[in-house]
Structures are given as structure tokens and as C-alpha cells.
Amino acid sequence: MAFQKAVKGTILVGGGALATVLGLSQFAHYRRKQVSLAYVEAAGYLTEPVNREPPSREAQLMTLKNTPEFDILVIGGGATGCGCALDAVTRGLKTALVERDDFSSGTSSRSTKLIHGGVRYLQKAIMNLDVEQYRMVKEALHERANLLEIAPHLSAPLPIMLPLYKWWQLPYYWVGIKMYDLVAGSQCLKSSYVLSKSRALEHFPMLQKDKLVGAIVYYDGQHNDARMNLAIALTAARYGAATANYMEVVSLLKKTDPETGKERVSGARCKDVLTGQEFDVRAKCVINASGPFTDSVRKMDDKNVVPICQPSAGVHIVMPGYYSPENMGLLDPATSDGRVIFFLPWEKMTIAGTTDTPTDVTHHPIPSEEDINFILNEVRNYLSSDVEVRRGDVLAAWSGIRPLVTDPKSADTQSISRNHVVDISDSGLITIAGGKWTTYRSMAEDTVNAAVKFHNLNAGPSRTVGLFLQGGKDWSPTLYIRLVQDYGLESEVAQHLAKTYGDKAFEVAKMASVTGKRWPVVGVRLVSEFPYIEAEVKYGIKEYACTAVDMISRRTRLAFLNVQAAEEALPRIVELMGRELNWSELRKQEELETATRFLYYEMGYKSRTEQLTDSTEISLLPSDIDRYKKRFHKFDEDEKGFITIVDVQRVLESINVQMDENTLHEILCEVDLNKNGQVELHEFLQLMSAVQKGRVSGSRLAILMKTAEENLDRRVPIPVDRSCGGLKSFDLLTC
């Protein structure tokens, strides 16, 4: 099959099939008509889902096994795959979806968290007079508005600032941003505006002020990507789609078409990853929506097929919330090497990214130290020198693989747009490739349209425009107040539940455990500094969570916000899941080990811990070395050259501080590089050198020893608590 350039809505049909390729102008007219029809149908036809609650995974597996033939089988549980399942089932098609891992376990949970039309794509459209890019932006802005409407609990508008350091940039960027508003038309979230230097610093006080001449602020949407993906999957299940995670496609099934004598894809051989059981799922049409693994599934159909995807890795890092204002993002449109960097508030933290580099496809992408440092260096360029950007403040990092559509000869992923292509093979396999998060719904609509036409399925137009996703229909901004009043939840926890589960938050609240305190009445937290509660673990199982990794990364977002907090919550999460799912002790241990590996490699814990190693250089002034030696010997009274848990306990007791032995063991282990159960003087000096250089932050031992030294003479009791691995009330820079 000859490769054609990916154009929004283009359908590539294999030889021997009736080819239908829509021109751009025809397609634009067709899409407008379809959108209009779909909205009417969504309002008039789809009143209530067939299931009040999504069926259990076991029930879904039984449906997959016992259904003689589905109309459509979707391979892939990311945003696009789940969108295809929802689009198909709401048209009245008998629909199935299988995902090898968990819903949103790949690219869809590792995005920049933006719902956007693409400011830089519009710039390219204007500069290059590129109609294709313009129409892509226009469509994305329509989809942005729709997504904010159908999932209001998971999404919201976000102002984003473009700081200006040269006067000529003001009219240049102002025209571009105003064009962005104009293209959005009536679906413009809020009008962009210009800020003077003083007003820009008022809104973003940590901004680099030298040579700053002003700023422009525009609006895009932001969402909780993994939860949004899950909401699409759950909505599809409620409307009757048989959806199952941890179901791997082993091979494609084929049968001979009696009319043409050609082989047609007729389903897939599937394997339950959790049990090893295999069975066939038959379908009139199979849709390949497997993201970065698109070509792997296509090769199951035809091993000689020409690849159409070129994967690109995008790394993001998470830093403490004080690095950015609570409700203002920042865009650097021209980094040192031409890539775009976003710097955004998210879940009370700050997310920065992204990189864009060619990569190999893997199930477990790992953020590289090189990419992390690139992002940190760019962040330093536009933050005030008063703000020390420290490597140790990276609380989590992850890499996502973007399945960009490209010509096989292309080697430059930076210039590739997020257009998508629908490909139909000679045997009838429908593949949806490329695209971006924001346009998942229209991608799904185009894909199902192609499937209906090619396979002659009995279905009407798409009905997903305006169709509320699970939790969105009866949500309101004040819903959390009822949770506080009716259930006695903390306000922060109630707000979290409302914006995560929408109108389903009451079901989570009903499952919440009594705290035994005067306030809050219910809602035991998994970790103290995040609003996630134990009831969410139980509810997460109803949402098809099967592993501890599912819980820390997608049902909650702990792993993406703070790897140390996620690690701390793991034992309790495994205990609660084990109780609900009847796990053996062996299974619990396996879950702990698997989740710990996930945090260590995929969520950046390895990169974080490697900031302090046996080979860490000690770069301290002689006066600093003397000061730290003095502090060390306050604990090492008998000058052994090392300190142990007993030494630390002795000093803490002398200043009336109590700390359990397990916590002390954890604190010392963070610094015990050779793992011999004690901290030597050189290890302590390595730690303090790394702290001074900003490679390590939040070290509990460093803060504990500093505060203990200050209080030894006064003998005043001090509070000791954990925050990002340290104590909130003390500044490590003065250690």
C-alpha cells in the first residue's frame, strides 16, 4: 500500500478495495454537517446509559467470551481507543475493547495535561500559508470546547503567560494570539490580554524581571489526563461496550470473504494477562488504536507493511507548587534549541516539559537525566535569580511516547504535526494513527465512520458531541460543599473527590472510613500531604484497577506528583487491595516489588536517588567542612566515625523528640550509600555537598541534624514531620 501524506480525515484504503478519499473542502463541509447532526442526536437519542454502573471486569470478560460476534473490536485502551469504543457503542453497534495493560497506561496518562488547539501550529499555518495546519487548529479548538463541556469536573480553562523580553515581540505575538482567539470564535474560553511589566510580575512574581518588557496571557484548557481517559472508558462500559484491561491481543483472526475470496480480519486471539487464559473475540471489524504500538498490530495483519508511525519521547518533570502561581501557566515558545517548554500549575504542583526526541517503542519508557536537566536549564532561564532551581526539587519525572504520523524517510520529529490518518488494509483492519489528546473524539468519529462505510455496518452518525462523560452530568463547582456537610470530609479532600469523580464523589464518600477524630469525621488519608483517601482504593477496584501500579498512577496520581509519597502509600494500598481482591502474601509482595520498580525507573525515582552516590564529589569550603563535622560529632559522641539509629535516638530524646525506629531507619537509609546500616562522616559530607549544590532537597537527615543541633542547648521540643521527604518548616539552603 502506498503511503500518502497524513491529512486530517484522510482515509487510506488498500488495493482491491473501493477507495474513498475526501478532499479538504469537501471534508470540512462534511464535518460541519456531521457535528450539527451529532449534537441533535446526542440530545435527542441518548438519554441514559444502559448500565447505572460499569459492569465488573469479570462480567466484561464473560461478555467477551460468550458473544458470538461483535460489530467492532477496538485494540487499545488509550484516549483514542476508548473514544472509538464510546463512539461505536452510542451508535448502537455491538462493541468490544481490549487493552494489554491498564486504561491510559501509556501515552494518554503522560501528557502535558493541556486541552489545546495548538498555538504553535497556528503560527506555522499563518507563516507557511498552510491550510491543513489551520483546519487542524480550528478542529482542535472545537474539540477543546466540547471536552470542557462534557467533563467539567476533570477540566478547566487555564491562563498561560508568554513573557516578552524584546519590544518587537509584543506586536508579533499579540497578532498570533489574537488570531488564536478569532479562530476559536464563539468557543473562545476567554479573550487574551496584554500585561505591563509590573502587572506581569504581580501575576507571576517568580518571573525573570531583567529586560522584561511585558507579557501576553491567553487561555487553553487543562485536565487530569489519566482520569479523563478512564472516564471515557467507564462511559463506554455504561453504554454497553464490553471493555477489559489486561487483555493482550496475541494474534489477529482471519476468514475468507465468500464474495471476493479474499482474507478478512475477523477478530483477535486474546490473552488475559492476569490469569494466562486465552480465547477468541470475533468481530465484523477490528480497529487498531494502539498508539505507539500501531505498527506492531499492523504487522500482525501484514508482516511486510510499511511503518507509518515514528515515535517521539516527551519528558515532563514535577516540582513543588511554589515554583509557579496557583492559577497561571507559562509558555516559552523559543527555547535554546527551538523546542517549546510549558511551565504549568497542576494538582497544586508545578509541571514542566516537554522534550521532543526520537525514541524506540517500549512498554516502559524511562525519563533520562539529560532531558530532566534540559528542562531544568530552560526553567532557570525564565525564573528570577532569587529562585534557585534545584535538581533535588524534581519530585517525579516521566517519559511519554507520542505516536506521530510520518513519512518513513523522515528523521525529524520536531516538525511533525499531530495530524491523524485512518488506514484501511487489504484485509479490512482499520488503523487510527497520530493525532493528539485534544482531538481524540473527532479521531474516533472519523475512524468509526470509516469502519461503518468499509464494513457496511448498520449505524447512524456519531453522537458523542455534547455527550457527558461519567461524573460530569450533575457536577457543579459547589458540589464539594455537600460532601463536607453531609459526610464530614475535610474541605481539601471534598474538593479533590468532586473534581476527580464528579457526581460519583458521593459513592466514594459513602465508602470512607471513620477517622475517630472530632474532625474530619471520615476520610483517612493515604499520605498526609495529599488529599487521596483510603476509600479511593476500594472504589478504584470498581473502576477496573487490578494492580498497585494502577492505583498509584492512574486511579490516584500520586506517582506522577511525588514518587516518595507514592512509595510511602504503597504498603497501605497493597494491604487494602489485597483485602478486597483476596491476594495471597506472595501476590502482595509481588505487587510491592513491581510498583517499587515502576516508581524507580518510570517515574524518575532512580534519577532522583542517583543525585547522591558513592562517587558524589565533596565540594565544600573548609569552613563548611568544619561546621558539618561539628554537627556530625554532636551525634557521634564517641567519635566512631559513623552514626547509627541508636545515636540519633539518643540526641532526639535529649531534646524531647519521639520518633519510631522504622522512620529513623528510613531516614538513615536515604544517606547510607554503602548500605552497611550506618552513616559515615564522608557520606554525611557528600550529602551536605549535594544539598548545597541543589542536587538533593528535602533530605530528612540533613534537616533533622540541623534542627537538633540548634535545639541541643535550648532543649526545646521541636515538631518532626515529613514533607517531600523532609520538613516543611526549615530551609535546606541554610543547612
Side-chain angles (χ1 to χ4, degrees):
M1 179 185 70
F3 180 87
Q4 298 184 29
K5 185 178 179 183
V7 177
K8 167 64 192 74
T10 297
I11 302 175
L12 302 181
V13 186
L18 180 62
T20 304
V21 181
L22 300 179
L24 282 172
S25 60
Q26 294 175 303
F27 186 76
H29 173 74
Y30 172 74
R31 282 284 297 121
R32 285 194 295 272
K33 182 180 178 183
Q34 286 293 91
V35 167
S36 175
L37 285 173
Y39 197 89
V40 173
E41 291 290 344
Y45 175 80
L46 292 169
T47 54
E48 290 294 332
V50 295
N51 299 310
R52 184 178 179 277
E53 297 297 332
S56 67
R57 183 174 183 272
E58 290 71 23
Q60 298 283 42
L61 291 180
M62 290 300 296
T63 302
L64 288 173
K65 291 178 186 176
N66 298 331
T67 301
E69 186 179 51
F70 289 95
D71 292 317
I72 285 180
L73 168 63
V74 181
I75 303 172
T80 305
C82 291
C84 287
L86 180 59
D87 188 276
V89 75
T90 51
R91 297 189 194 207
L93 295 171
K94 192 177 295 183
T95 306
L97 179 147
V98 292
E99 160 60 42
R100 172 174 45 198
D101 205 305
D102 185 27
F103 301 114
S104 194
S105 59
T107 306
S108 296
S109 64
R110 302 170 190 237
S111 73
T112 312
K113 323 303 177 193
L114 286 178
I115 309 170
H116 63 105
V119 172
R120 55 181 172 148
Y121 302 141
L122 182 60
Q123 180 190 24
K124 290 180 181 179
I126 296 171
M127 298 297 291
N128 302 328
L129 299 178
D130 191 329
V131 177
E132 176 193 333
Q133 293 267 11
Y134 171 79
R135 285 181 172 152
M136 187 189 73
V137 174
K138 180 75 174 175
E139 180 197 44
L141 288 170
H142 166 75
E143 293 301 324
R144 179 187 71 177
N146 183 66
L147 194 51
L148 287 166
E149 178 186 350
I150 64 176
H153 57 306
L154 292 170
S155 58
L158 176 72
I160 301 175
M161 179 183 292
L162 278 78
L164 307 175
Y165 291 94
K166 295 178 182 177
W167 282 108
W168 67 263
Q169 291 178 325
L170 180 57
Y172 178 77
Y173 286 124
W174 175 243
V175 171
I177 293 299
K178 272 302 167 187
M179 280 293 296
Y180 196 57
D181 290 349
L182 289 172
V183 173
S186 62
Q187 295 174 329
C188 178
L189 302 180
K190 290 184 182 180
S191 293
S192 55
Y193 54 90
V194 176
L195 291 174
S196 65
K197 176 178 179 177
S198 60
R199 291 284 290 165
L201 292 171
E202 183 180 326
H203 284 278
F204 210 116
M206 55 285 293
L207 198 61
Q208 171 66 260
K209 62 185 73 172
D210 296 340
K211 299 182 181 179
L212 182 70
V213 298
I216 299 174
V217 176
Y218 74 98
Y219 285 81
D220 257 329
Q222 189 178 50
H223 68 153
N224 187 337
D225 53 4
R227 291 294 320 182
M228 186 74 80
N229 193 158
L230 186 61
I232 301 168
L234 293 170
T235 306
R238 292 182 66 200
Y239 276 99
T243 59
N245 55 354
Y246 292 99
M247 288 296 297
E248 179 180 6
V249 171
V250 178
S251 61
L252 295 177
L253 305 177
K254 291 188 177 182
K255 66 179 181 181
T256 302
D257 187 332
E259 295 183 4
T260 64
K262 292 187 175 182
E263 276 196 332
R264 295 292 189 195
V265 173
S266 60
R269 180 73 175 176
C270 298
K271 176 183 177 181
D272 187 337
V273 176
L274 301 179
T275 65
Q277 183 184 14
E278 293 188 11
F279 55 88
D280 292 339
V281 179
R282 299 196 174 275
K284 297 173 184 175
C285 169
V286 175
I287 293 176
N288 170 20
S290 53
F293 302 95
T294 291
D295 287 325
S296 298
V297 176
R298 292 175 73 236
K299 286 181 182 298
M300 289 183 184
D301 177 39
D302 177 4
K303 63 181 180 180
N304 297 317
V305 72
V306 177
I308 63 171
C309 280
Q310 181 171 317
S312 171
V315 171
H316 295 79
I317 63 174
V318 169
M319 306 173 77
Y322 54 70
Y323 272 95
S324 66
E326 189 174 342
N327 193 37
M328 178 69 76
L330 189 144
L331 166 64
D332 182 359
T335 61
S336 59
D337 67 353
R339 290 181 284 189
V340 174
I341 288 285
F342 286 97
F343 194 65
L344 311 167
W346 182 64
E347 300 288 326
K348 298 187 177 180
M349 294 295 183
T350 301
I351 180 174
T354 177
T355 57
D356 196 359
T357 51
T359 185
D360 294 325
V361 176
T362 173
H363 294 293
H364 307 289
I366 299 172
S368 71
E369 187 63 25
E370 180 184 358
D371 283 330
I372 292 172
N373 283 320
F374 167 77
I375 296 172
L376 287 174
N377 287 333
E378 295 303 325
V379 168
R380 289 187 185 99
N381 290 337
Y382 52 78
L383 289 193
S384 168
S385 57
D386 296 337
V387 180
E388 184 177 355
V389 179
R390 304 181 294 183
R391 174 61 181 82
D393 282 340
V394 176
L395 306 176
W398 68 86
S399 176
I401 301 178
R402 299 187 183 93
L404 306 182
V405 178
T406 181
D407 187 312
K409 298 179 182 178
S410 172
D412 176 16
T413 64
Q414 295 179 40
S415 63
I416 299 172
S417 69
R418 270 53 175 176
N419 292 343
H420 70 265
V421 61
V422 177
D423 169 48
I424 306 177
S425 73
D426 288 344
S427 59
L429 175 68
I430 310 286
T431 294
I432 172 65
K436 61 180 182 178
W437 225 121
T438 306
T439 58
Y440 85 90
R441 192 213 62 81
S442 63
M443 291 167 62
E445 179 181 341
D446 291 341
T447 306
V448 178
N449 282 345
V452 168
K453 187 176 185 65
F454 186 86
H455 291 277
N456 197 28
L457 303 176
N458 184 20
S462 175
R463 299 185 172 99
T464 51
V465 173
L467 177 67
F468 279 107
L469 300 182
Q470 173 156 310
K473 186 176 181 181
D474 296 320
W475 176 87
S476 73
T478 57
L479 182 145
Y480 79 94
I481 297 175
R482 289 172 53 199
L483 291 171
V484 175
Q485 294 175 336
D486 295 352
Y487 294 94
L489 288 161
E490 292 175 84
S491 181
E492 183 186 13
V493 171
Q495 290 181 58
H496 154 67
L497 294 181
K499 74 175 187 176
T500 301
Y501 303 95
D503 56 31
K504 297 293 181 182
F506 296 98
E507 297 181 16
V508 184
K510 290 174 185 176
M511 302 171 73
S513 303
V514 176
T515 64
K517 302 176 183 178
R518 181 187 64 80
W519 190 262
V521 180
V522 301
V524 178
R525 295 195 184 208
L526 288 168
V527 285
S528 60
E529 68 267 40
F530 289 96
Y532 301 110
I533 59 174
E534 292 183 355
E536 293 181 78
V537 179
K538 300 176 185 177
Y539 192 78
I541 294 171
K542 294 179 63 176
E543 295 182 327
Y544 305 131
C546 299
T547 70
V549 172
D550 297 345
M551 202 64 67
I552 61 174
S553 58
R554 293 173 286 274
R555 304 310 182 279
T556 71
R557 305 311 306 274
L558 266 175
F560 283 79
L561 295 169
N562 189 319
V563 287
Q564 285 185 288
E567 184 186 44
E568 182 180 310
L570 263 179
R572 182 59 178 161
I573 288 173
V574 169
E575 180 184 346
L576 291 168
M577 292 189 76
R579 187 184 305 165
E580 295 293 319
L581 298 172
N582 298 316
W583 286 348
S584 65
E585 290 301 316
L586 177 60
R587 173 67 187 276
K588 290 179 185 178
Q589 187 59 38
E590 289 174 347
E591 287 292 326
L592 272 173
E593 292 173 357
T594 301
T596 301
R597 283 197 302 273
F598 169 78
L599 292 174
Y600 190 71
Y601 292 105
E602 295 184 53
M603 289 292 110
Y605 211 159
K606 181 176 185 289
S607 294
R608 182 178 173 86
T609 57
E610 284 180 346
Q611 299 310 303
L612 183 63
T613 66
D614 285 323
S615 60
T616 299
E617 179 186 354
I618 298 176
S619 179
L620 295 168
L621 295 173
S623 58
D624 289 333
I625 292 177
D626 290 340
R627 179 158 55 96
Y628 294 139
K629 280 184 176 180
K630 179 182 176 183
R631 184 177 300 171
F632 185 84
H633 290 309
K634 294 264 187 174
F635 287 76
D636 181 23
E637 267 190 346
D638 49 4
E639 298 186 359
K640 305 182 298 296
F642 61 85
I643 58 176
T644 64
I645 290 176
V646 175
D647 295 318
V648 179
Q649 281 180 325
R650 174 184 52 77
V651 175
L652 293 181
E653 288 173 3
S654 71
I655 56 175
N656 299 323
V657 173
Q658 299 295 322
M659 187 176 292
D660 68 85
E661 189 172 325
N662 287 335
T663 302
L664 282 176
H665 177 72
E666 290 177 6
I667 290 174
L668 263 67
C669 275
E670 292 172 1
V671 187
D672 180 14
L673 301 176
N674 55 16
K675 304 303 177 188
N676 62 355
Q678 56 198 30
V679 176
E680 283 87 5
L681 175 59
H682 73 274
E683 289 176 324
F684 180 65
L685 292 177
Q686 284 176 310
L687 168 66
M688 300 315 300
S689 180
V691 166
Q692 279 198 1
K693 290 185 176 181
R695 294 200 304 269
V696 170
S697 66
S699 168
R700 290 183 283 180
L701 183 64
I703 298 176
L704 182 64
M705 292 179 70
K706 177 180 184 292
T707 54
E709 179 186 47
E710 292 173 348
N711 286 273
L712 275 173
D713 294 331
R714 295 198 302 269
R715 298 294 192 270
V716 177
I718 59 173
V720 179
D721 196 9
R722 169 190 186 286
S723 173
C724 300
L727 305 178
K728 276 186 179 176
S729 54
F730 302 101
D731 184 1
L732 267 180
L733 294 179
T734 63
C735 285

